[in-house]
Amino acid sequence: MSLPVKEILKVGERMLEAAQIEDAKLDSQMIYCHLFQVTKSQLIMEWQRVLEDWECDNYFQLLDRRRQGEPLQYITGEASFLDFTVKVEKGVLIPRRDTENLIVYIKELLKEGSLKGAAVPMEEKRRKAILKGKALDLCCGSGILGIGLNKWLGIKDVTFSDINSEPMKLTRENCKALGVAGIFKEGDLFQPFRHALGKKRFDLIISNPPYIATEEIENLDRDVKDFEPLAALDGGKEGMEIYENILEQVMDHLTKQGLLALEIGHDQGEKIKALGRSAGFTQIHILPDLENRPRVAIMWK
């Protein structure tokens, strides 16, 4: 069947609405834009174009994947983060807007010396040392945090690490595409940074590790629990397993002026504070996301 673009987008929107897909209109349009390689702003110029049968078939094939709950980012193969776009694929966590807070807060602290809403001064000498020093994106996934440190803060020496090979491959591709000269290490948390001659240290360690409690996985939206990698979501019985491991080891891998920044679950702030104090951090700050829920932990000693 041949259909004008304006009509097929309406059909797609209704089909997605019937499948209870949020943002059905936008997703219908973005699938078309991806398939026919046009931008959202160019879409109106396509309005009266009549699609051939095979073009309609291709559109509805992708639309059906979205109807089944597959995230739009996996269908298009890309996702936006801050002001850049990265490649994403199944097996790697999709970047979230909440995670942008990590970079925003770190930039605020290191560029301005304090965090808004809290008397948290950081001396200029320490800030400059961190900005000129070595950074580690731990549990890097698609590499968005390390790339963000490079693009937004100008940190040039960034190492990316993950336990799985799929994220490491994708991180390399994203760094190459965005002009980031990273160092890449595959292994379990800090394992790649322990050597016979000592332990490698970083001035800034940033991480968005798995932090959802195992029993809560089934309560997630279907596009998350059915499609995104379990290893990037499941943080153990209470969602704290990876944090416990990180904070047990992190002091061996931070310089004296080092800074640790973590994305956390909205109900994990007090537990993270306790772990941070036990690890030896004296400055521990739990910061909110755009909905005023605890989402970021920043700490230093």
Side-chain angles (χ1 to χ4, degrees):
M1 65 178 165
S2 298
L3 287 171
V5 169
K6 186 175 182 178
E7 186 175 338
I8 200 171
L9 291 178
K10 282 292 185 184
V11 173
E13 180 182 349
R14 290 194 294 269
M15 291 172 68
L16 294 181
E17 285 176 344
Q20 298 183 319
I21 299 297
E22 193 174 346
D23 295 324
K25 180 177 181 179
L26 178 62
D27 285 7
S28 170
Q29 293 176 348
M30 294 310 296
I31 287 171
Y32 177 90
C33 290
H34 164 69
L35 183 61
F36 296 103
Q37 295 297 291
V38 298
T39 65
K40 184 73 162 47
S41 60
Q42 292 170 332
L43 186 56
I44 194 170
M45 304 299 293
E46 302 269 307
W47 229 236
Q48 300 304 321
R49 186 168 86 85
V50 177
L51 300 181
E52 301 290 339
D53 289 354
W54 65 271
E55 292 177 308
C56 293
D57 289 343
N58 289 344
Y59 174 78
F60 285 119
Q61 284 177 16
L62 295 185
L63 193 80
D64 192 55
R65 289 170 60 184
R66 187 69 188 105
R67 286 176 62 211
Q68 300 302 315
E70 183 175 347
L72 179 66
Q73 293 90 338
Y74 287 156
I75 295 170
T76 64
E78 63 181 30
S80 296
F81 187 77
L82 297 171
D83 56 359
F84 54 87
T85 299
V86 293
K87 179 181 177 181
V88 293
E89 58 188 29
K90 291 180 181 179
V92 180
L93 192 70
I94 295 170
R96 262 58 172 195
R97 190 179 181 191
D98 281 341
T99 306
E100 294 179 351
N101 289 303
L102 272 169
I103 302 297
V104 172
Y105 280 126
I106 291 172
K107 183 178 181 182
E108 186 178 301
L109 177 62
L110 296 183
K111 294 290 189 178
E112 300 174 21
S114 64
L115 296 165
K116 292 176 183 175
V120 191
M122 178 179 278
E123 60 273 25
E124 186 177 2
K125 183 179 179 181
R126 182 190 288 244
R127 289 189 283 122
K128 286 184 176 180
I130 294 173
L131 288 168
K132 292 179 179 179
K134 302 177 187 296
L136 170 62
D137 181 354
L138 191 66
C139 308
C140 65
S142 57
I144 53 172
L145 290 174
I147 293 170
L149 292 177
N150 177 272
K151 295 294 184 184
W152 273 46
L153 284 90
I155 297 177
K156 293 180 170 56
D157 191 334
V158 183
T159 297
F160 299 83
S161 177
D162 202 284
I163 193 171
N164 294 313
S165 58
E166 288 180 70
M168 294 309 306
K169 176 178 176 291
L170 191 61
T171 292
R172 282 187 172 91
E173 292 177 12
N174 284 327
C175 284
K176 183 177 180 180
L178 291 165
V180 177
I183 299 168
F184 309 97
K185 297 289 185 179
E186 185 177 333
D188 186 7
L189 295 181
F190 296 106
Q191 178 272 325
F193 310 109
R194 302 188 192 112
H195 309 290
L197 298 178
K199 297 171 183 177
K200 184 170 182 179
R201 294 178 181 268
F202 299 90
D203 302 282
L204 170 57
I205 297 176
I206 189 170
S207 184
N208 176 21
Y211 59 75
I212 299 172
T214 303
E215 64 181 16
E216 294 297 323
I217 299 293
E218 279 303 310
N219 298 327
L220 298 175
D221 293 340
R222 63 171 176 161
D223 57 344
V224 177
K225 68 180 180 180
D226 292 345
F227 292 92
E228 297 202 55
L230 182 63
L233 301 169
D234 193 343
K237 186 177 180 180
E238 296 182 354
M240 298 295 296
E241 187 175 303
I242 304 298
Y243 294 126
E244 291 168 355
N245 290 334
I246 289 173
L247 284 157
E248 183 179 333
Q249 304 172 58
V250 71
M251 284 302 191
D252 290 335
H253 297 280
L254 271 182
T255 59
K256 289 182 179 180
Q257 74 271 4
L259 183 73
L260 174 66
L262 303 167
E263 179 170 331
I264 65 173
H266 67 88
D267 57 350
Q268 295 172 329
E270 291 306 312
K271 293 178 181 178
I272 293 292
K273 276 186 179 181
L275 288 174
R277 286 192 292 267
S278 295
F281 288 100
T282 54
Q283 292 274 9
I284 305 170
H285 304 280
I286 307 299
L287 304 160
D289 61 16
L290 294 175
E291 296 181 14
N292 208 34
R293 301 171 301 181
R295 184 62 64 186
V296 170
I298 294 181
M299 57 188 84
W300 63 92
K301 52 185 176 179

